[in-house]
Amino acid sequence: MVPNLMPQRGNLLGPAPADVMAFDVGGTDIKGTMLSASGDLLDVLRVPTPRDGARTAEAVLDRVRELGKELSERSPGLQAKAAGLVVPGIVDARAGVGVFSANLGWTNFPFRAECEKRVGLPVAFGHDVTSAGIAEFELGAGRGFDDVVVIIIGTGIAGTVFAGGLPVTAGGYAGEFGHSLVPDPSGTGTDILESVGSAAAIARRYTRISGNAVDGAREVLTRMQAGDIAARQAWDEAIDALAFTVSQCITVLGTEAVIVGGGLSEAGDELLVPLRRRVGEHLTFHRRPEILPARLGQDAGLIGAALGARSLLAAESGPA
């Protein structure tokens, strides 16, 4: 039976010549879906990401192959002509290589070639956050802008930079916002943004200040809203660090819009309102960008993988 269409997406991507598959590899799970030629994104299937030491990359692609078979069986009316695959870490999309993943443990693995062997389709290969940023730029909150920064704030922080309508990839090394230097909250030096402004950092910082362990940034936010002074301090320090990095992007790139996604963006105005104010305090003559919430949610990387597969088919078919 063909799965029900995802009601929150609808016909998001518009028509194309053929159906495609898309796969998004994460540290916890692998997501897969089928995108029909008419533009309907079908139900997302999830399976746990395997860990197999030095063979983790091979195990991941074996799981992708199984997931592709299940997608085909569940969608008998569709026939994919290409697949999109996105993975975390440092990625050389042009070479089709996963250069490095500290979390999943591969180095210089030829993902595109090995995936094509397993799924029997041409594969568009890319970086998960970059692909999510491209989806957000083309279909989400970034539509209508040429110079955009998409920043994804979760356990870590990464993003995608667009200049003149084109993504800046730098061989897979662009967009590592989480490792940019920011003032240390203690005022004694510098730290990296990820250690101050990420969701995980907020929880750790609160625990250090208060002595009370919390499950995550969401709980810190709840305590802050209830008047907890330590929670307010941890939250404010994170926003200060984020504003510092965002304002640097604006001064260097002349950014028109900053799109904020990831788990921390679910805080809504509790994050965005003070972030806009503090970014504004850093700027003088610079262009004042719109700071907007991402629209595509947790499946943005998967949508970006589908866009990559469609672009691959379009490139192979050439001009009409």
Side-chain angles (χ1 to χ4, degrees), residues 119-213:
V119 302
L121 296 170
V123 172
F125 175 65
H127 184 254
D128 56 350
V129 174
T130 299
S131 295
I134 290 171
E136 197 65 52
F137 179 75
E138 295 189 5
L139 301 170
R143 292 184 69 174
F145 300 103
D146 288 327
D147 301 296
V148 174
V149 167
V150 180
I151 184 166
I152 308 299
I153 310 169
T155 303
I157 302 175
T160 312
V161 173
F162 295 88
L166 298 174
V168 178
T169 58
Y173 287 90
E176 294 291 340
F177 297 115
H179 290 266
S180 61
L181 292 177
V182 298
D184 186 277
S186 67
T188 58
T190 59
D191 206 335
I192 62 170
L193 175 62
E194 200 165 281
S195 295
V196 183
S198 67
I202 290 171
R204 288 195 302 268
R205 180 65 174 164
Y206 174 77
T207 298
R208 285 198 299 269
I209 296 169
S210 69
N212 300 315

Side-chain angles (χ1 to χ4, degrees), residues 21 34 67-80:
M21 288 182 179
M34 187 87 79
L67 193 54
K69 289 180 179 178
E70 184 175 354
L71 287 167
S72 295
E73 290 169 359
R74 294 183 63 176
S75 308
L78 302 181
Q79 185 173 5

Side-chain angles (χ1 to χ4, degrees), residues 4-160:
N4 293 328
L5 299 182
M6 297 175 65
Q8 70 271 34
R9 300 284 180 235
N11 192 293
L12 181 67
L13 289 88
D19 311 320
V20 298
M21 288 182 179
F23 304 96
D24 182 0
V25 177
T28 302
D29 59 22
I30 302 170
K31 296 185 286 189
T33 192
M34 187 87 79
L35 176 69
S36 73
S38 61
D40 294 314
L41 192 66
L42 304 184
D43 283 333
V44 175
L45 304 183
R46 289 174 170 82
V47 295
T49 301
R51 305 294 182 106
D52 192 13
R55 290 197 70 261
T56 292
E58 288 93 338
V60 162
L61 291 184
D62 290 343
R63 193 66 57 86
V64 165
R65 176 177 55 199
E66 296 166 4
L67 193 54
K69 289 180 179 178
E70 184 175 354
L71 287 167
S72 295
E73 290 169 359
R74 294 183 63 176
S75 308
L78 302 181
Q79 185 173 5
K81 298 297 185 182
L85 172 70
V86 300
V87 303
I90 303 298
V91 167
D92 187 338
R94 182 173 298 179
V97 172
V99 176
F100 178 70
S101 172
N103 188 22
L104 292 172
W106 56 67
T107 301
N108 294 324
F109 186 80
F111 271 98
R112 181 167 58 216
E114 291 298 320
C115 189
E116 288 178 342
K117 290 177 185 178
R118 286 167 171 79
V119 302
L121 296 170
V123 172
F125 175 65
H127 184 254
D128 56 350
V129 174
T130 299
S131 295
I134 290 171
E136 197 65 52
F137 179 75
E138 295 189 5
L139 301 170
R143 292 184 69 174
F145 300 103
D146 288 327
D147 301 296
V148 174
V149 167
V150 180
I151 184 166
I152 308 299
I153 310 169
T155 303
I157 302 175
T160 312

Side-chain angles (χ1 to χ4, degrees), residues 207 227 233 239 249 285:
T207 298
Q233 180 180 340
I239 291 175
C249 290
F285 61 87

